């Protein structure tokens, strides 16, 4: 624990006041303190570096670019591999684990060791990995790297420790799963095929053991060659040379026949009694044409042949449709008896797998569902009902339903908000799902002890907003809001304007939410803002529309006559502009013929509409086109429910709206906000037209550099998947090169607008892209009736503070170092039924900086963070107490003042991938971790911090990655995660009966160890494959194994040892009793012998 004391009388600071070559004389931060201040600040900082540790917690969403699928029928868990080397393992809701191969190579195939708590992955770098799933964080036990051959197919028989590995050369190798060492037994391609065959059979595409006899291995080659290999005799039982390429094969459970799928869209059935030709060939989707020929069909990429006791077998396959129709959707076909059902999919099929009741391949399979892995979705079809309904997916697999464009993360929300959002959202859920329970129900998960309400909000390209319950490291969708419903459908635009209009005009750029008042604000890419109120009742509403003309250039001539006579706003209401506001000049309204002018990008619905319960649009604010150019995108937003105000800005200026009175209070260019206190002393210039596109870039002239304009953009104004330009960090050293100064951050709060203020007032803190901070005091009527009728007055005060780089975030602390929350209005339902007891007036909650610090006087601390620097400033004296230069070589993308371990800190995410935390108020570095290199715009746009030491970002277009930087949460993570493996008895094999056992082959007598072990097969060539031990060996994993399995194993070992000791003790006791009996017997005999003798006879 460290104490910081600073005497503030006559305090001066030597911190750099000006940035980018500007004169420091314009900064009030470097001047001696003149206002009355506390004699001493005494803040005890409790956070130390030991309170912080970086750790990934959980990943949500659909695995990006999936490649492989596997299912454990006993444990009932599912694994999905991806092209980037990731593996997601799913069980019951709450059991969701993400693993990543260090190599990053694509996962080709997955194989569970059924009911063993292990998984084999085959990757594109020709490496096999064995993962231990008997722990909450799976780890690699062994790896085997093939050096000379490419892996194409793997097969692991149930309850076998020998893995068959097919290669591109056509060879089949055998790997011992326990030791992960190659066996000397190899099935070479030239031995498998006939000597007379002159061509190579191609890569191995299928391997499976015969259900009737495990000693027979079916090998399928790409060219159409099929071989059944006798593992004992080391020879081929039969060879089939088919004239169509093979993609997959599947056995009948009796092991007498099998089915193959081919590249011409056909299915061939083969009987082991006669393998000279197939006994059946079908083209399920091939029609006979007029000339008698079959129409050509697409390849059937996979087929599964599953038997059922009560009905005909199921034949399930993907592909095989005819080529006659272009643009047909991908399909999964289910053939059951004579019935053929074609299920159309929204995305291409990557893999599918039938889920069966038994893990034994020689029993009736009884399929009950089929899992279909699509490129962007995961669906499970119920096979037990004739209409084949899909199961309702309990995982959040639809985050990417429309591309995610922004995120927000709220920890420790009001406890009533999640149930009410869920109850509203549940009314709009889809129907028609299977009534049965979700079949992937493995693992165990319990609600942790230290959970609190958390909500994640995602904004999307189609204008939709999704609210997610993120409590206890799970994710469940609560409520969906469509912002596009506030507008008329956009009409197609032609000509030059079509190039300037956004492809997704409703795309969400940023959101602002007050959970206490339930006021919600959305900023869209078409320079529009929608304000929503929450109601539990439906209502007839008409949306109010305000139009703002905020297209002012910082180089324009500022003249008093223009300011008085040409206000830069227009509004659609009856309210007139407030005469006491100071407005800058606006460009003329004359435009070339055919160009848009003074119109918004979107048209608001003007009619009265019936809106359902939930979030209901109340107000839409839109920026207008000027001179045929679209408005600049909005770069910052803040809303305060207690004040009833909404502020937003872009690279042209700032606007403040009173959403209670539906009026525009302030509309100013950034330069005009300074008045005479401009720290750069910029000269006025003649008007100049800068042409811009909606992406935010300007055609610059007069020695202006595009890099300067790049700096004025916030990451949210970029297109969704742009590559990130690091030139944003470059400082502007010449005032002549300066173009526009964007408003980059805004914050309402109780503060001091002027140095001589004795009491805090409502203020708006404004941060710009040039590192300037302005404080704008406001006068807001306190009485309810006056607030609805009297105007709110506000005006720039001249308070200007300076930092290096673009300002990102404000935070306020009291003089005890505690975080001051923004004031808010308590939520009330305006659409509720008339009730005399209902509160009609607004109930406000204020957190005044001076309410709890009588001991240290009035005032508060302002935390200001920019791209490069953080400062802690004492208000109202504006004395800089602490300065910390965060980075010189990079720049900060996201910063926030957050609560961690019952204290507060400043958390920063830099463009070079570093995540840092700084103590408050002293700005001591507590943590600096090189966590994540910034590779694209997605991470910069979606990274956000929240309280409790948590953060999130979009790790791929379809997945949200949650992380923690709190040591306490890292310690509790094991408790919060689900168990993948649960001890379950393996189902017993069915009694096959005497006759079937006698005539059905000798599969149970097959001993693989005899054939593949080192004693019989010898050692494989060392150059063929290299064994790589995992990070934790088997013994280490046994020690590290936690949860039920580890406890049971340890208990069992302890019981065994105790029982052994008890047995040994019992044996020793019995031996002692026996020897005692012998001794007693001898003593008795001796006594009888000597009983009648006299003493002298001895």
């Amino acid at each position: 624990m460290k104490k910081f004391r600073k005497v503030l009388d006559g305090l001066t600071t030597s911190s750099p006041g000006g940035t980018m070559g500007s004169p420091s004389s314009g900064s009030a931060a470097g001047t001696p303190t003149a206002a009355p201040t506390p004699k001493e600040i005494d803040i005890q900082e409790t956070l130390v570096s030991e309170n912080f540790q970086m750790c990934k917690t959980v990943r949500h969403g659909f695995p990006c670019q999936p490649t492989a699928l596997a299912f454990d029928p006993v444990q009932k868990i599912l694994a999905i591999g991806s092209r980037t080397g990731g593996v997601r393992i799913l069980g019951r809701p709450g059991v969701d684990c993400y693993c990543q191969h260090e190599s990053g190579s694509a996962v080709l195939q997955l194989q569970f060791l059924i009911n063993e708590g292990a998984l084999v992955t085959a990757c594109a770098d020709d490496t096999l990995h064995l993962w231990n799933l008997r722990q909450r964080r799976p780890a690699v036990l062994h790896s085997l790297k093939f050096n000379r051959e490419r892996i194409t197919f793997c097969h692991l028989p149930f309850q076998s420790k020998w893995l068959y590995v097919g290669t591109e050369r056509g060879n089949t190798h055998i790997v011992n799963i326990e030791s992960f060492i190659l066996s000397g037994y190899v099935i070479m391609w030239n031995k498998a095929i006939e000597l007379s065959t002159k061509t190579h059979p191609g890569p191995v595409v299928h391997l499976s053991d015969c259900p009737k006899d495990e000693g027979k291995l079916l090998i399928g080659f790409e060219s159409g060659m099929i071989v059944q290999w006798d593992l004992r005799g080391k020879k081929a039982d039969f060879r089939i040379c088919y004239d169509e390429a093979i993609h997959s094969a599947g056995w009948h459970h009796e092991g007498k026949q099998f089915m193959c799928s081919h590249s011409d869209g056909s299915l061939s059935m083969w009987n082991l009694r006669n393998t000279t030709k197939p006994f059946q060939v079908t083209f399920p989707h091939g029609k006979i044409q007029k000339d008698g020929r079959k129409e050509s069909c697409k390849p059937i990429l996979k087929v599964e042949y599953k038997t059922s006791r009560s009905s005909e077998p199921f034949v399930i396959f993907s592909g095989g449709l005819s080529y006659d129709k272009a643009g047909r959707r991908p399909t999964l076909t289910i053939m059951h008896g004579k019935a053929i059902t074609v299920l159309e999919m929204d995305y291409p099929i990557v893999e599918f797998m039938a889920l069966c009741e038994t893990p034994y391949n020689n029993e009736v399979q009884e399929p009950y569902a089929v899992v279909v892995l699509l490129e962007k979705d995961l669906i499970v079809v119920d096979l037990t009902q004739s209409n084949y309904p899909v199961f309702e997916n309990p995982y959040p697999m639809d985050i990417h339903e429309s591309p995610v464009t922004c995120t927000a993360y709220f920890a420790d929300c009001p406890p009533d908000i999640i149930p009410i959002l869920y109850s509203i959202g549940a009314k709009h859920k889809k129907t028609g799902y299977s009534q049965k329970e979700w079949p992937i129900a493995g693992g165990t998960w319990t609600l942790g002890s230290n959970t609190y309400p958390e909500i994640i909000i995602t904004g999307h390209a189609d204008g939709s907003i999704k609210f997610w319950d993120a409590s206890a490291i799970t994710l469940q969708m609560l409520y969906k809001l469509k912002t596009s419903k506030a507008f008329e459908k956009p009409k197609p635009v032609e000509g030059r304007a079509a190039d300037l209009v956004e492809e997704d005009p409703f795309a969400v750029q940023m959101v602002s939410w007050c959970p206490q008042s339930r006021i919600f604000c959305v900023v869209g890419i078409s320079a529009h803002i929608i304000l929503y109120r929450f109601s539990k009742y439906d209502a007839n509403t008409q949306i109010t529309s305000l139009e703002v003309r905020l297209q002012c250039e910082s180089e324009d001539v500022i003249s008093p006559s223009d300011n008085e006579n040409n206000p830069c706003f227009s509004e659609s209401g009856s309210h007139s502009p407030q005469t006491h506001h100071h407005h800058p000049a606006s460009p003329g309204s004359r435009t070339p013929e055919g160009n848009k002018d003074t119109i918004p990008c979107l048209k608001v619905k003007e009619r009265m509409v019936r809106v359902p319960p939930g979030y209901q649009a109340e107000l839409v604010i839109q920026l207008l086109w000027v001179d045929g150019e679209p408005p600049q995108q909005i770069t910052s937003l803040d809303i305060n429910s207690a004040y009833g105000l909404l502020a937003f800005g872009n690279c042209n200026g700032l606007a403040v709206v009173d959403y209670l009175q539906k009026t525009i209070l302030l509309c100013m260019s950034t330069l005009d906000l300074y008045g005479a206190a401009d720290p750069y002393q910029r000269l006025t210039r003649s008007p100049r037209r800068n042409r811009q596109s909606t992406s935010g870039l300007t055609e610059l002239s007069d020695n202006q550099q595009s890099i300067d304009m790049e700096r004025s953009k916030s990451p949210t104004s970029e297109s969704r998947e742009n590559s990130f330009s690091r030139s944003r960090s470059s400082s502007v050293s010449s005032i002549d090169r300066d173009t526009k100064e964007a408003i980059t951050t805004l914050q309402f709060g109780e503060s001091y607008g002027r140095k001589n203020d004795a009491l805090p007032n409502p203020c708006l803190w404004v941060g710009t892209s040039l590192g300037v901070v302005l404080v704008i005091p406001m006068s807001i009527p306190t009485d309810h009736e006056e607030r609805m009728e009297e105007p709110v007055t506000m005006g720039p005060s001249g308070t200007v503070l300076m930092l290096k780089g673009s300002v990102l975030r404000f935070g306020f602390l009291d003089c005890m170092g505690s975080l001051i929350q923004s004031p808010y209005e308590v939520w009330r339902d305006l659409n509720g039924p008339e009730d005399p007891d209902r509160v009609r007036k607004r109930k406000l909650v204020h957190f005044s900086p001076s309410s709890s610090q009588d001991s240290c006087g009035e005032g508060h601390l302002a935390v200001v963070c920019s791209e490069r620097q953080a400062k802690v400033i004492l208000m109202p004296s504006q004395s800089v107490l602490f300065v910390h230069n965060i980075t010189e070589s990079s720049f900060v993308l996201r910063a926030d003042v957050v609560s961690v371990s019952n204290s507060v800190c400043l958390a920063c995410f830099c463009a070079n991938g570093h995540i840092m935390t700084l103590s408050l108020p002293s700005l001591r570095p507590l943590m600096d971790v090189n966590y994540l290199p910034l590779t694209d715009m997605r991470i910069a746009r979606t990274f956000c911090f929240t309280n409790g030491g948590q953060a999130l970002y979009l790790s791929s277009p379809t997945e949200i990655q949650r992380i923690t930087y709190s040591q306490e949460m890292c310690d509790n993570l094991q408790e919060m995660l689900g168990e993948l493996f649960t001890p379950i008895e393996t189902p017993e094999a069915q009694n096959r009966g005497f006759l079937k056992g006698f005539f059905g082959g000798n599969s149970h007598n097959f001993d693989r160890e005899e054939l593949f072990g080192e004693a019989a097969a010898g050692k494989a060539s060392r150059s063929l494959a290299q064994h790589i031990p995992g990070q934790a060996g088997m013994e280490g994993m046994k020690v590290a194994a936690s949860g039920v399995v580890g406890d049971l194993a340890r208990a069992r070992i302890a019981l065994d040892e105790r029982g052994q000791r008890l047995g040994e003790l019992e044996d020793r006791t019995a031996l002692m009793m026996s020897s005692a009996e012998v001794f007693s017997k001898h003593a008795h005999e001796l006594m009888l012998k000597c009983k009648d003798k006299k003493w002298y006879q001895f």
Side-chain angles (χ1 to χ4, degrees):
M1 192 175 291
K2 196 167 181 179
K3 291 187 178 181
F4 291 93
R5 299 173 184 270
K6 222 161 204 200
V7 178
L8 300 178
D9 288 342
L11 175 72
T12 59
T13 175
S14 59
S15 66
T19 65
M20 299 164 280
S22 60
S24 60
S25 59
S27 172
T31 57
T33 303
T37 60
K39 297 294 180 186
E40 187 182 82
I41 284 184
D42 182 3
I43 296 178
Q44 294 183 336
E45 294 189 357
T46 58
L47 289 179
V48 292
S49 57
E50 285 73 22
N51 292 119
F52 296 92
Q53 181 184 343
M54 277 301 306
C55 177
K56 290 183 180 180
T57 54
V58 68
R59 183 173 290 209
H60 303 296
F62 180 77
C64 188
Q65 298 178 315
T67 54
L69 185 69
F71 182 71
D72 186 324
V74 179
Q75 288 289 321
K76 295 194 181 302
I77 55 175
L78 185 82
I80 301 172
S82 73
R83 194 170 299 167
T84 54
V87 178
R88 279 283 286 285
I89 305 170
L90 303 169
R92 68 176 67 249
V95 179
D96 186 342
C97 179
Y98 174 76
C99 315
Q100 175 67 43
H101 292 91
E102 287 185 2
S103 64
S105 298
V107 179
L108 299 178
Q109 202 174 346
L110 299 163
Q111 288 273 317
F112 274 106
L113 276 66
I114 295 174
N115 205 27
E116 295 289 336
L119 175 72
V120 175
T121 57
C123 294
D125 61 352
D126 305 307
T127 306
L128 298 171
H129 304 274
L130 178 65
W131 293 81
N132 179 20
L133 307 184
R134 295 189 177 223
Q135 56 193 70
R136 300 188 189 216
R137 291 271 180 161
V140 173
L141 291 174
H142 301 283
S143 297
L144 188 67
K145 167 79 173 170
F146 281 75
N147 297 321
R148 297 188 307 209
E149 299 195 50
R150 307 297 307 272
I151 298 171
T152 56
F153 196 87
C154 297
H155 170 62
L156 180 65
F158 178 46
Q159 294 182 323
S160 168
K161 69 173 185 179
W162 298 94
L163 174 74
Y164 302 114
V165 181
T167 68
E168 195 175 43
R169 291 187 181 181
N171 302 326
T172 301
H173 300 276
I174 299 165
V175 178
N176 185 318
I177 290 296
E178 293 178 350
S179 61
F180 239 58
I181 295 174
L182 269 179
S183 167
Y185 193 114
V186 184
I187 306 171
M188 304 298 290
W189 68 270
N190 53 356
K191 297 284 181 65
I193 66 171
E194 288 180 307
L195 296 175
S196 59
T197 307
K198 296 180 180 179
T199 56
H200 191 278
V204 174
V205 295
H206 178 79
L207 292 167
S208 62
D209 51 325
C210 176
K212 186 172 66 172
D213 187 350
E214 295 174 353
K216 312 285 186 181
L217 184 68
L218 191 71
I219 307 172
F221 297 93
E222 189 180 62
S223 63
M225 171 79 69
I226 305 166
V227 175
Q228 180 168 286
W229 185 261
D230 183 350
L231 293 166
R232 298 184 199 86
K234 299 183 181 179
K235 60 182 177 61
D237 285 344
F238 61 80
R239 298 180 178 92
I240 298 171
C241 294
Y242 199 63
D243 52 3
E244 287 294 338
I246 290 175
H247 287 281
S248 70
W251 283 97
H252 187 281
H253 79 273
E254 291 179 349
K256 297 176 182 177
Q257 59 189 37
F258 60 89
M259 179 182 289
C260 298
S261 69
H262 301 281
S263 57
D264 62 348
S266 67
L267 296 172
S268 62
M269 289 279 288
W270 301 83
N271 197 308
L272 297 192
R273 291 180 180 175
N274 182 9
T275 57
T276 55
K277 63 177 183 178
F279 74 85
Q280 185 182 352
V281 177
T282 56
F283 288 81
H285 296 298
K287 298 175 182 176
I288 300 176
Q289 297 174 330
K290 293 180 179 179
D291 57 2
R293 291 187 301 174
K294 291 264 186 184
E295 60 182 347
S296 57
C297 295
K298 298 174 184 177
I300 295 179
L301 299 177
K302 183 177 180 181
V303 65
E304 290 212 348
Y305 185 24
K306 302 297 180 183
T307 53
S308 175
R309 282 191 187 86
S310 58
S311 62
E312 295 287 321
F314 284 86
V315 177
I316 307 166
F317 62 88
S318 60
L321 291 179
S322 60
Y323 283 104
D324 59 344
K325 292 181 183 177
R328 293 181 73 173
R329 301 206 306 187
T331 61
L332 183 80
T333 304
I334 302 173
M335 296 171 62
H336 189 213
K338 294 182 179 179
I340 299 179
T341 305
V342 179
L343 305 177
E344 289 192 337
M345 303 295 166
D346 293 332
Y347 307 102
I349 296 173
V350 176
E351 173 75 285
F352 74 89
M353 181 172 289
L355 309 187
C356 300
E357 295 287 355
T358 177
Y360 297 95
N361 65 347
N362 58 358
E363 294 179 357
V364 178
Q365 299 296 286
E366 292 292 352
Y368 57 89
V370 57
V371 180
V372 189
L373 179 63
L374 308 176
E375 277 190 1
K376 293 186 178 179
D377 202 0
L378 176 74
I379 64 170
V380 182
V381 180
D382 186 353
L383 294 180
T384 62
Q385 300 181 48
S386 57
N387 60 338
Y388 301 128
V390 298
F391 290 88
E392 185 177 7
N393 198 327
Y395 316 123
M397 292 290 182
D398 57 347
I399 291 173
H400 61 286
E401 187 178 15
S402 173
V404 178
T405 52
C406 78
T407 58
Y409 193 3
F410 300 87
D412 214 2
C413 300
D416 60 335
I417 194 74
I418 289 177
I420 197 166
L421 283 173
Y422 182 80
S423 64
I424 298 291
K427 297 174 183 176
H428 305 285
K429 279 196 170 183
K430 296 178 182 178
T431 57
Y433 292 112
S434 171
Q435 298 301 310
K436 297 199 171 183
E437 289 188 6
W438 180 251
I440 304 163
T444 55
W445 179 78
T446 54
L447 198 63
S449 57
N450 53 349
T451 58
Y452 44 83
E454 298 176 72
I455 286 181
I456 292 172
I457 299 175
T458 55
H460 300 264
D462 63 354
S464 62
I465 302 282
K466 291 180 181 179
F467 289 77
W468 306 85
D469 177 8
S471 310
I473 70 168
T474 61
L475 196 70
Q476 193 72 32
M477 194 167 88
L478 295 171
Y479 174 74
K480 183 177 179 179
L481 173 68
K482 294 182 178 178
T483 64
S484 59
K485 288 187 174 180
F487 303 98
E488 303 286 355
K489 191 174 181 180
K491 295 179 181 178
V493 182
E494 296 179 357
R496 179 177 174 272
D499 299 330
L500 302 178
V501 174
E502 288 291 336
E503 182 183 351
D504 297 310
F506 306 114
V508 179
Q509 272 190 295
M510 65 181 85
V511 296
S512 180
W513 186 46
C514 176
Q516 288 81 12
S517 66
R518 301 182 190 173
I519 296 283
F520 185 57
C521 226
V522 178
V523 174
I525 203 166
S526 298
H528 65 273
I529 300 171
I530 312 173
L531 184 140
Y532 290 89
R533 285 186 184 270
F534 187 84
S535 175
K536 294 190 287 184
Y537 307 94
D538 55 2
N540 293 316
T541 61
Q542 186 170 6
I543 302 170
T544 305
S545 177
L546 289 178
E547 295 175 353
V548 180
R549 186 183 177 95
L550 192 61
Q551 197 81 1
C552 313
E553 304 291 343
S554 62
E555 303 95 322
D556 288 341
V557 176
I558 309 297
S559 64
S561 60
D562 284 338
N563 295 336
E564 292 170 9
N565 301 326
N566 193 6
C568 77
F569 63 81
S570 64
E571 54 179 314
S572 59
S574 59
H575 302 284
S576 61
Q578 304 298 330
T579 55
H580 56 265
H581 297 320
H582 181 72
H583 298 289
S586 63
S589 61
R590 291 190 298 274
T591 60
E593 189 176 347
N595 276 350
K596 292 186 175 185
D597 192 27
T598 64
I599 61 168
C601 298
L602 301 170
K603 183 173 174 57
V604 179
K605 288 181 180 177
E606 297 175 350
R607 62 186 184 277
M608 186 78 74
V609 291
R610 188 80 174 169
V611 289
Y615 274 104
Q616 301 166 351
E618 180 179 287
L619 175 67
V620 173
I621 304 162
Q622 294 191 86
L623 299 184
L624 299 174
W625 285 59
V626 176
D627 293 341
E629 298 293 341
Q632 290 283 4
Q633 292 172 359
I634 294 164
T635 55
S636 56
L637 169 79
D638 193 38
I639 186 168
N640 189 279
S641 57
Y643 302 157
L645 300 179
L646 181 153
F648 64 94
N650 63 6
C651 62
N652 288 324
L654 169 70
V656 181
V657 172
D658 182 341
Y659 69 78
L660 295 177
Q661 297 187 26
K662 310 292 192 296
T663 57
I664 301 167
L665 299 178
L666 184 75
C667 182
M668 277 191 175
S669 70
T670 315
L671 178 61
D672 221 41
L673 287 171
Y674 297 120
D678 182 9
Y680 293 104
Q681 302 296 310
R682 280 165 281 198
L683 300 174
T684 57
R685 300 179 186 176
S686 59
R688 179 168 65 231
R689 296 288 172 264
N690 283 341
R691 297 294 180 231
Q692 78 218 23
S693 69
T694 52
S695 65
L697 291 174
T698 305
E699 297 172 17
L700 299 166
S701 57
D702 295 349
N703 296 324
Q704 293 171 337
Q705 303 295 320
S706 62
I707 187 175
D708 303 329
M709 195 59 212
E710 185 74 16
R711 292 195 74 263
S712 70
K713 294 183 293 180
S714 75
T716 55
S717 67
E718 297 280 354
S719 61
R720 285 196 306 278
E721 296 301 330
N722 250 358
S723 59
F724 195 83
S725 170
R726 301 200 178 207
S727 63
R728 243 180 114 248
S729 64
S730 302
S731 61
V732 180
S733 58
S734 169
I735 300 303
D736 293 333
R737 288 170 50 203
D738 176 41
T739 56
K740 297 179 182 179
E741 185 176 6
I743 306 295
T744 53
T745 186
L746 296 163
Q747 178 77 52
F748 286 106
E750 299 285 308
S751 187
Y752 302 85
R754 299 170 183 84
K755 285 188 178 182
N756 55 1
D757 283 352
L759 294 172
N761 297 303
C763 290
L764 174 62
W765 284 64
V766 182
T768 76
S769 57
L770 295 185
V772 180
V773 177
L774 301 109
V775 185
I776 302 175
M778 302 177 292
S779 176
I780 302 175
T782 54
D783 183 73
H784 176 71
E785 283 76 16
E786 288 181 3
R787 176 65 186 87
M788 301 306 293
E789 296 173 3
E790 295 295 319
V792 173
T793 58
M794 59 188 306
S797 65
T799 298
V800 177
L801 311 168
M802 298 291 296
L803 284 88
K804 292 181 182 177
S806 177
V807 182
L808 298 177
R809 182 67 68 181
F810 298 119
F812 304 117
L813 308 178
D814 62 23
C815 287
M816 302 301 291
S818 300
L819 188 64
I820 302 173
Q821 295 184 29
S822 296
Y824 63 85
E825 176 191 358
V826 177
W827 175 74
R828 57 197 176 102
D829 200 331
L830 300 179
N831 297 337
E834 291 298 326
D835 184 356
D837 298 330
R838 185 160 62 96
V839 180
R840 296 177 181 274
K841 291 187 177 181
R842 302 169 70 227
K843 182 181 178 182
L844 308 182
V845 178
H846 286 270
F847 302 91
S848 175
S850 60
S851 60
S852 62
Q853 46 245 23
D854 297 333
S855 59
C856 64
E858 296 176 353
H860 73 88
L861 303 177
V863 181
V864 187
C865 185
S866 73
E867 285 182 332
R868 293 179 176 275
Q869 195 178 52
K871 287 187 178 182
V872 174
I873 302 163
L874 179 68
M875 301 298 288
S877 67
Q878 300 173 18
S879 304
V880 178
L881 303 185
F882 301 99
V883 182
H884 179 73
N885 293 318
I886 299 170
T887 177
E888 293 295 337
S889 59
S890 183
F891 58 96
V892 179
L893 286 167
R894 287 287 181 273
D896 210 346
V897 177
V898 293
S899 62
V900 181
S901 301
N902 300 317
S903 189
V904 289
C905 69
L906 177 65
C908 304
F909 172 54
C910 290
N912 59 7
H914 283 249
I915 293 179
M916 292 174 277
T917 58
L918 305 172
S919 69
L920 289 176
S922 66
L923 299 177
R924 285 180 301 114
L926 295 172
M927 182 189 75
D928 186 351
V929 178
N930 186 5
Y931 171 72
L932 184 76
L934 181 66
T935 53
D936 55 29
M937 187 61 205
R938 185 194 317 112
I939 298 170
R941 188 186 64 246
T942 59
F943 195 101
C944 51
F945 293 101
T946 191
N947 292 329
Q950 295 194 80
L952 66 78
Y953 59 92
L954 212 64
S955 58
S956 73
T958 62
E959 294 168 289
I960 289 174
Q961 178 68 58
R962 289 164 70 178
I963 61 175
T964 182
Y965 46 95
S966 162
Q967 178 67 57
E968 182 183 1
M969 187 163 183
C970 287
D971 294 340
N972 295 329
L973 191 58
Q974 285 291 99
E975 178 195 345
M976 300 167 74
L977 294 173
E979 290 267 10
L980 292 172
F981 179 79
T982 52
I984 300 173
E985 287 290 331
T986 302
E988 290 187 6
Q990 294 174 4
N991 189 358
R992 305 181 70 208
F994 173 74
L995 291 177
K996 279 193 176 180
F998 188 76
F999 294 107
N1002 55 349
S1003 60
H1004 292 286
N1005 300 329
F1006 178 60
D1007 188 354
R1008 293 185 177 91
E1009 185 68 39
E1010 277 187 15
L1011 287 174
F1012 308 145
E1014 188 177 324
K1019 290 184 178 180
S1021 170
R1022 288 186 179 181
S1023 60
L1024 186 61
Q1026 176 189 359
H1027 176 258
I1028 306 166
Q1031 292 178 344
M1034 183 66 83
E1035 294 301 318
M1037 301 319 291
K1038 285 179 182 175
V1039 173
S1042 60
V1044 176
V1045 179
D1047 293 338
L1048 278 175
R1050 284 191 288 272
R1052 191 180 295 114
I1053 292 168
L1055 281 171
D1056 289 344
E1057 291 174 352
R1058 185 166 175 264
Q1060 188 177 351
R1061 286 196 296 270
L1062 284 171
E1064 290 172 357
L1065 181 61
E1066 190 178 351
D1067 290 343
R1068 285 198 299 271
T1069 305
L1071 187 63
M1072 287 174 66
M1073 287 177 65
S1074 176
S1075 60
E1077 286 177 3
V1078 171
F1079 178 79
S1080 173
K1081 183 182 177 182
H1082 285 302
H1084 184 67
E1085 289 174 355
L1086 185 63
M1087 184 267 295
L1088 291 175
K1089 185 178 180 182
C1090 304
K1091 180 173 66 171
D1092 297 323
K1093 288 187 179 182
K1094 303 293 182 185
W1095 63 269
Y1096 53 83
Q1097 290 177 323
F1098 285 98

